[in-house]
Amino acid sequence: MLQRTSDADWWRQAVIYQIYPRSFADANGDGIGDLKGITAKVPYLEALGVDAAWLSPFYPSALKDGGYDVADYRNVDPRIGTLEEFDEMLGALKSVGIKVMVDIVPNHSSDDHEWFQAALKAGKGSKEREKFIFRDGLGPNKDQPPTDWKSKFGGPSWSPSGTNDGQWYFHMFDSSQPDWNWDHPEVRADFIETLRFWGDRGVAGFRIDVADALTKDMSDDLPSWEELTKLTHKKLSNGNGHLIHPLLDRDEVHDVYRSWRKVFNEYDPPLIAVAECWVAPDRKHLYASSDGLGQAFSFDILLCNYDADEYRRCIKHSLKGSAITGSSTTWVLSNHDVIRHASRFAMPKVADNRNHPLVIEATNKWLVNKFQDPKPDVESGLKRARAATLMILGLPGSTYIYQGEELGLPEVVDIPDNERQDPTFFRTAGREIGRDGCRVPLPWEASSKNFGYGSGALPHLPQPDWFEDYAVDVEDKDGKSTLNLYRQALRLRKQLQTKEELEWVDGTGENVVHYKRPDGWEIIMNAGKTAVTLPKGKVLVSSTLDKLDDGKLPGETTAWLKAE
Ligand code: TEU
Ligand code: CA
């Protein structure tokens, strides 16, 4: 057995910063963020105090889905950089102790991928087509899709091959994203090669996109969309009480991850992986198992309203789930797919927030109305966002921070239709606004061109004027800014995250989350409006960055304290 020389458990309590490369920093001024831009901001990330950076896709891509349409898994998009620049970036981050994770998108490729192009060319019945999911169309002319299934981004989930052979290919997402056939050994082998490619370059691990969808049962008898939708809402037993769905969360997917784990364990420390899977809570732990990916995103906390009961329930459930496999939980409040949490918390509660499609529907309405009806309470939104962040940063487990949330950035809602990029917007004819509003390039300097994101061409998504107030250089100087809150909290957190225990405290107030951590640390979030009395102790930090020396914790505020 390999003798390990380094900390194999670094990920358990890590803070990981998500970079959406095109929108982070544009070093060469072409309007698109790049790897050199990231390298230039290493001191910023160091001062923030994160342990790792996860990069959303930077691979060659037609950018039909922000890079999640990957044309070549083992290269860098020339607009974003080169492999040499990747190595430079990695080296610069490593030199300040920041690890790098990259995004693996195994459910689908881009239609520009060499193998998909070869499949189109090789024609019906060819070996090349077996790597994807091709089926004959229905009707005498085969001009109807094989099923009436819808894509996750709206519109049909089959597109004609375009080669006049009556064949259609399956895509769970955009038509530019053909799904791989995971029954094919060459597909499996190619992903192993990709994992090794990045592992050998020195990355610490991977975020696995739509981890639950790879293996599918596409046997000839395919259900209708209506039957499929019923399946997602109803539990059909396979004998173990597991819901059987032809496309999602099938047990066979874990064979894939077991084979990946063998590769991960060839490295020292072992590579890590975190599953992006919106699966039923009682299925989540399977993805986090130590002979599989090891960790899975807990999105339940992202769906919580700003409410103490909801948070407590969700935290208890997530901790229980990760304990099943001995994993640690991952806490997430924002990412590149959802409305930024400073804006979410400025809006009224979502009634049925455990149902993900309903949350998307409800929150999409806010975007359609451009946050005019109902109007957001911007001040309270930010206050709550800071309080919720400080509360989750005190929890055992790892935390993911999405670029810009450390500035308290709200969602951008006034992007003109002709500048939108999200395929969701186009495939639903604008009924769903999509995710561009959380992907607007960051403001670095209030008075510079493009707010310091890049000194040349306009950013690839327009930045609103009010970004000025959230610029890094403004917040840097403001002792009570969100940026300085994140910096302080991350610094303190390093002392806190030694052991993983948590003990709940009840009775502190009506709408309060209160828990104790080892060594006398206590974390108290007052989600209500009226102040509550703090327990005895020294306040280490509060989400408003006030000292709270009157012993009171105001509404919508979190404090960390240490018993004396
Ligand atoms: O998202 C997976 C996914 O299912 C999304 O549709 C998600 O449910 C939705 O965006 C939440 O609002 C991943 C990536 O994170 C996303 O950016 C990609 O577009 C998608 O996969 C396809 O690769
Ligand atoms: Ca650039």
Side-chain angles (χ1 to χ4, degrees), residues 162-340:
T163 47
N164 287 324
D165 49 14
Q167 285 225 296
W168 296 63
Y169 65 92
F170 176 72
H171 50 87
M172 189 174 281
F173 294 90
D174 187 48
S175 55
S176 66
Q177 294 167 298
D179 280 41
W180 290 106
N181 171 15
W182 273 89
D183 289 334
H184 200 294
E186 283 181 50
V187 170
R188 293 193 180 213
D190 195 60
F191 273 92
I192 298 270
E193 195 174 327
T194 296
L195 299 175
R196 285 217 174 89
F197 179 86
W198 294 108
D200 292 349
R201 278 205 119 76
V203 309
F206 307 102
R207 177 261 190 195
I208 312 301
D209 191 58
V210 243
D212 55 316
L214 278 49
T215 51
K216 302 181 177 81
D217 177 10
M218 295 297 249
S219 49
D220 288 347
D221 195 14
L222 298 175
S224 68
W225 178 248
E226 202 191 341
E227 287 165 325
L228 206 63
T229 330
K230 271 194 216 141
L231 267 183
T232 19
H233 294 299
K234 202 166 81 183
K235 288 209 166 188
L236 286 187
S237 176
N238 67 351
N240 316 318
H242 169 212
L243 140 107
I244 311 166
H245 191 287
L247 305 178
L248 300 172
D249 193 27
R250 298 182 62 79
D251 287 338
E252 307 92 87
V253 78
H254 301 293
D255 294 337
V256 174
Y257 298 138
R258 277 187 285 270
S259 74
W260 290 14
R261 172 52 58 183
K262 291 197 183 110
V263 176
F264 299 163
N265 287 350
E266 290 166 8
Y267 293 82
D268 179 21
L271 303 180
I272 70 148
V274 56
E276 189 233 12
C277 52
W278 296 80
V279 298
D282 59 343
R283 299 275 301 168
K284 184 68 65 73
H285 66 276
L286 297 169
Y287 293 83
S289 98
S290 57
D291 67 349
L293 294 177
Q295 242 191 342
F297 277 127
S298 165
F299 289 127
D300 310 345
I301 201 139
L302 187 154
L303 297 175
C304 283
N305 285 303
Y306 188 73
D307 176 89
D309 280 340
E310 284 191 25
Y311 278 122
R312 255 196 313 267
R313 215 174 26 233
C314 169
I315 294 165
K316 283 180 187 167
H317 197 271
S318 297
L319 290 175
K320 220 165 111 191
S322 57
I324 298 175
T325 58
S327 181
S328 71
T329 313
T330 55
W331 307 108
V332 184
L333 288 174
S334 277
N335 63 33
H336 66 295
D337 288 333
V338 299
I339 296 178
R340 285 184 176 280

Side-chain angles (χ1 to χ4, degrees), residues 401-426:
I401 292 173
Y402 175 53
Q403 66 176 42
E405 69 163 86
E406 77 279 20
L407 304 172
L409 270 190
E411 187 83 358
V412 180
V413 290
D414 46 5
I415 301 171
D417 288 358
N418 63 359
E419 300 213 43
R420 291 212 168 265
Q421 298 176 15
D422 190 339
T424 314
F425 182 77
F426 304 111

Side-chain angles (χ1 to χ4, degrees), residues 21-22 25-37 78-81 453-454:
R22 281 181 307 136
D26 171 21
N28 68 351
D30 65 352
I32 297 177
D34 40 47
L35 298 183
K36 270 184 179 292
R79 286 163 292 184
I80 295 184
Y453 158 74

Side-chain angles (χ1 to χ4, degrees), residues 17 43-50 401 406 483 486-487 490-491:
Y17 185 87
Y44 174 77
L45 296 173
E46 185 189 11
L48 187 57
V50 299
I401 292 173
E406 77 279 20
L483 178 58
Y486 273 68
R487 286 172 176 164
L490 295 192
R491 222 176 6 248

